[in-house]
Amino acid sequence: MIVILLIGGLLCWLTARANEHAAKWVALVTMLIDAALICGVCFTQRVSSINTWIVDIKTQWIPAYGIGFHLAMDGLSMVMLLLTFFLGTLAVLCSWNEIKQRTGFYYFNLLCTLAGIAGVFVAMDLFLFYFFWEVMLVPMYFLIAIWGDTNRRYAAYKFFIFTQAGGLLMLIAILSLYFIHAAQSGVYSYDYFDLLNTTLQPSAARWIMMGFLVAFVIKLPMVPLHNWLPDAHSEAPTAGSLILAGLLLKTGAYGIMRFVLPLFPQAAEAIAWWAMLLAVIGIVYGAMLAFAQTDIKRLIAYTSVSHMGFVLLGIFSFNAVAMQGVVMQMITHGISTGALFVLAGMLKERLHTRDIESMGGLWSSLPAMGAVGMLFTMASLGLPMLGNFIAEFLVLMGAFTANVPLTVIATFGLVFSAIYSLRFVQKVFLGPSTFQKPLPDFSAREFVMMAALSIAIVWLGVYPQPVLDMVQHAVQAVVTK
């Protein structure tokens, strides 16, 4: 799957020299092939009964330094890959008419970013994991810096500096773990399963864990390390915002679940209260700042800070119910917030503004867009029968057993999310109309995109059991380490 993305990206770049329109089709076909492959794996495996790795590929890469090419997939990885290729396909579709310059290079960077994200979700060698972590960073920088909005270079620099600083801390932590393991066992190895057996002194475990954790919470993002996110979201092209919100933020949560908790269980438990406190601050702070925004993309970006606070809260609750809620939140947030960013891109294309104060009364001109906007706004605020409600309910139910006061405060975040969500609908779709000329509603391409997202969020709200079954054993393994 990763190789197909890289080859597809290269073909986009090469074919665009002859025909720029052909590059779009190459990118779309590439994404559909990968989506078909992961769906094939999903439907041919009896995931609910699996308690081991579904796929485990291991071969030597640089044996002199203990670096192996080790990729493995369990239920958690499979769910994240399904989300990656679903949103990746939509990212190609929403770029169809938006990107008019350097089309081939654009799709090359988009597919390389997705290849890096897919690699992060399956890499079981820490050197390889770090390699993929950096692979997804550089092309995303180009997507923002070249095809972004007015202040794109500033946003791209800030995104790169924040994430690169976190990545370097993680590299130091990986090397520390590597050398400590070698001193104990006499074997140099970056393999995840080898490093799980490393015995660490409490002080060493705490410092090494912080190296991993800081890198992951920057990407999550956690307050106060969230500063890069609103600028990156607001300046990125629509597909860039979709990939950032739907997938890049999830790599941080995935990293905590896959590496921080299993490798450093005691050290992680020692800081759990502080992590939950920062999560609750993020939930409330993100919601308050979202309410204050007039730029539609910055508003949605701050909702991400608030919603990802629930992810951090659930992870450090250390129980299976909250952890299943975390996985659901990662998926449903990717779908609902991604859909809102796609909707913001459509509105910008029609109105040539992102200022919600300049909008109003759009429901009469764009009834289908208004209905879909209402659906995903309701999903974002956690309305029952939609996916986000299941996720937040499970997180809060699990967190309640770990820390009652912080969970009660976090619950108020749902009230705040209702306030900023209803303000968004009121300002954009209701009230007196500010545009006299008729506006085009969904095109066929846009209708297909929003229909796919709408079906996904409703299905996850009505029948989330397949996802919960898929991740059950992976979640249980994380909690019991």
Side-chain angles (χ1 to χ4, degrees):
M1 295 174 190
I2 296 164
V3 170
I4 288 169
L5 286 171
L6 294 172
I7 292 173
L10 200 58
L11 285 174
C12 288
W13 200 356
L14 295 173
T15 54
R17 296 183 178 183
N19 184 346
E20 289 210 342
H21 192 64
K24 303 174 184 178
W25 286 102
V26 172
L28 182 59
V29 169
T30 302
M31 291 310 309
L32 290 173
I33 290 170
D34 267 357
L37 283 172
I38 191 63
C39 287
V41 174
C42 182
F43 290 124
T44 55
Q45 297 288 341
R46 292 181 60 200
V47 181
S48 60
S49 63
I50 287 171
N51 53 16
T52 55
W53 298 87
I54 301 164
V55 181
D56 194 347
I57 302 163
K58 186 177 182 181
T59 184
Q60 290 186 337
W61 185 13
I62 312 173
Y65 297 103
I67 300 170
F69 193 83
H70 189 182
L71 303 176
M73 181 170 72
D74 62 354
L76 175 60
S77 302
M78 186 154 68
V79 166
M80 299 317 297
L81 286 178
L82 281 165
L83 182 68
T84 300
F85 299 131
F86 176 57
L87 294 183
T89 305
L90 297 180
V92 172
L93 286 172
C94 74
S95 307
W96 209 260
N97 295 331
E98 183 181 356
I99 305 303
K100 295 180 172 59
Q101 56 170 341
R102 303 187 194 178
T103 311
F105 188 51
Y106 171 84
Y107 286 109
F108 169 76
N109 281 296
L110 184 65
L111 294 187
C112 283
T113 303
L114 291 166
I117 292 167
V120 161
F121 290 140
V122 293
M124 286 293 122
D125 181 277
L126 264 65
F127 182 89
L128 189 63
F129 176 81
Y130 180 75
F131 172 78
F132 282 124
W133 188 265
E134 295 299 306
V135 164
M136 70 181 180
L137 167 63
V138 177
M140 180 53 76
Y141 165 81
F142 284 124
L143 286 176
I144 299 170
I146 298 175
W147 294 277
D149 222 315
T150 314
N151 209 16
R152 57 186 179 271
R153 290 189 179 176
Y154 168 76
Y157 288 149
K158 185 186 275 191
F159 163 75
F160 191 86
I161 289 167
F162 266 83
T163 49
Q164 184 67 6
L168 290 173
L169 282 173
M170 182 168 65
L171 178 61
I172 294 167
I174 290 170
L175 290 172
S176 303
L177 200 56
Y178 170 74
F179 285 116
I180 290 172
H181 174 76
Q184 289 180 6
S185 64
V187 177
Y188 286 94
S189 175
Y190 286 98
D191 193 86
Y192 172 73
F193 297 104
D194 292 340
L195 296 175
L196 276 175
N197 301 318
T198 309
T199 305
L200 296 170
Q201 295 295 327
S203 59
R206 187 164 56 248
W207 284 107
I208 297 171
M209 180 204 68
M210 290 304 293
F212 281 98
L213 190 61
V214 169
F216 295 142
V217 296
I218 286 174
K219 197 62 73 73
L220 193 61
M222 179 188 78
V223 174
L225 303 173
H226 69 291
N227 192 253
W228 62 273
L229 181 75
D231 292 300
H233 270 320
S234 57
E235 300 303 323
T238 303
S241 296
L242 173 61
I243 297 299
L244 268 171
L247 300 173
L248 249 75
L249 307 190
K250 311 307 177 293
T251 60
Y254 173 85
I256 299 173
M257 291 177 70
R258 179 70 78 208
F259 296 104
V260 173
L261 268 56
L263 287 170
F264 316 101
Q266 287 82 23
E269 203 166 345
I271 63 152
W273 188 87
W274 293 102
M276 292 177 76
L277 176 65
L278 287 169
V280 170
I281 291 170
I283 291 167
V284 177
Y285 177 77
M288 291 173 68
L289 282 182
F291 181 77
Q293 302 305 309
T294 56
D295 183 316
I296 189 169
K297 287 183 81 173
R298 288 186 78 86
L299 187 158
I300 301 166
Y302 277 113
T303 69
S304 290
V305 176
S306 182
H307 287 139
M308 295 310 285
F310 283 102
V311 168
L312 194 63
L313 180 71
I315 289 173
F316 281 95
S317 299
F318 289 102
N319 67 68
V321 173
M323 208 69 79
Q324 285 188 317
V326 165
V327 177
M328 282 295 296
Q329 180 76 336
M330 288 158 71
I331 298 164
T332 56
H333 173 268
I335 292 168
S336 61
T337 306
L340 288 173
F341 273 117
V342 172
L343 202 65
M346 294 175 185
L347 289 170
K348 171 78 186 296
E349 190 180 326
R350 288 160 172 76
L351 309 177
H352 308 293
T353 181
R354 296 201 312 252
D355 185 6
I356 62 174
E357 300 291 346
S358 304
M359 301 178 189
L362 292 178
W363 200 304
S364 55
S365 306
L366 308 168
M369 198 175 288
V372 170
M374 176 66 86
L375 172 71
F376 285 106
T377 306
M378 293 300 105
S380 184
L381 64 81
L383 192 74
M385 301 291 285
L386 299 173
N388 298 58
F389 169 76
I390 302 290
E392 289 168 0
F393 178 77
L394 289 174
V395 167
L396 291 171
M397 188 165 71
F400 194 81
T401 63
N403 192 308
V404 175
L406 290 178
T407 307
V408 170
I409 298 168
T411 308
F412 281 102
L414 299 176
V415 179
F416 297 141
S417 69
I419 295 169
Y420 67 65
S421 298
L422 294 173
R423 172 178 176 266
F424 168 76
V425 172
Q426 171 65 35
K427 290 281 188 183
V428 175
F429 294 110
L430 305 178
S433 179
T434 54
F435 291 89
Q436 302 304 319
K437 62 178 183 178
L439 298 167
D441 213 332
F442 287 139
S443 65
R445 173 182 57 86
E446 291 169 340
F447 178 80
V448 168
M449 290 165 54
M450 301 315 287
L453 288 161
S454 301
I455 291 167
I457 201 70
V458 173
W459 176 64
L460 287 167
V462 174
Y463 187 52
Q465 196 60 46
V467 175
L468 299 178
D469 287 343
M470 212 180 289
V471 301
Q472 179 182 353
H473 295 294
V475 161
Q476 202 66 46
V478 171
V479 173
T480 54
K481 286 293 179 184

